[in-house]
Amino acid sequence: MTTHTQPGEQDWLDALRSTLTMQCETQSARLTELTADTGDPAEEYTRGAMIAATRQNLEQTAGALRRIAEGRYGTCERCGGSIPRERLEVLPHARFCVPCQAKQRG
Ligand SMILES: [Zn+2]
């Protein structure tokens, strides 16, 4: 396995890690807020969907942070190729490159 470290890569990763860490904290706080019982049954359904969405976001963000820590961030989990940075900037938790993601769906 080869590691391609481009100039500025480490800085970019450091910045991304801070952003993701912050997002993780925000999402955790939000989840705590959402799971607190408001005692309003009318909100139950909406809240359930929001909890699910927040939990998923949190998992994706935590997963990206874990991959950064493990040094395999930006590597496609399917073909092992590198995921273009432009894609990661739009979708920081992307685990597959574009062609693999397309196959994954189909
Ligand atoms: Zn791939």
Side-chain angles (χ1 to χ4, degrees), residues 76-81 83 95-101 103:
C76 175
E77 289 183 8
R78 189 168 167 142
C79 71
I83 304 172
R95 290 162 58 207
F96 306 103
C97 64
V98 180
C100 288
Q101 183 72 60
K103 281 180 216 153

Side-chain angles (χ1 to χ4, degrees), residues 2-85:
T2 42
T3 334
H4 308 278
T5 309
Q6 296 162 19
E9 180 87 359
Q10 198 54 51
D11 289 346
W12 181 73
L13 272 181
D14 284 346
L16 185 66
R17 190 167 43 210
S18 327
T19 309
L20 291 175
T21 306
M22 227 152 60
Q23 278 178 14
C24 240
E25 282 164 11
T26 312
Q27 284 158 1
S28 303
R30 179 110 183 92
L31 201 57
T32 310
E33 214 173 275
L34 283 169
T35 46
D37 193 8
T38 57
D40 185 354
E43 276 182 15
E44 208 66 19
Y45 181 77
T46 329
R47 220 147 41 102
M50 279 163 76
I51 289 170
T54 308
R55 198 165 274 159
Q56 198 191 13
N57 280 340
L58 187 58
E59 273 167 22
Q60 287 174 332
T61 309
L65 278 170
R66 198 165 48 233
R67 290 196 296 282
I68 293 175
E70 289 169 357
R72 56 195 175 89
Y73 183 75
T75 304
C76 175
E77 289 183 8
R78 189 168 167 142
C79 71
S82 54
I83 304 172
R85 195 186 290 190

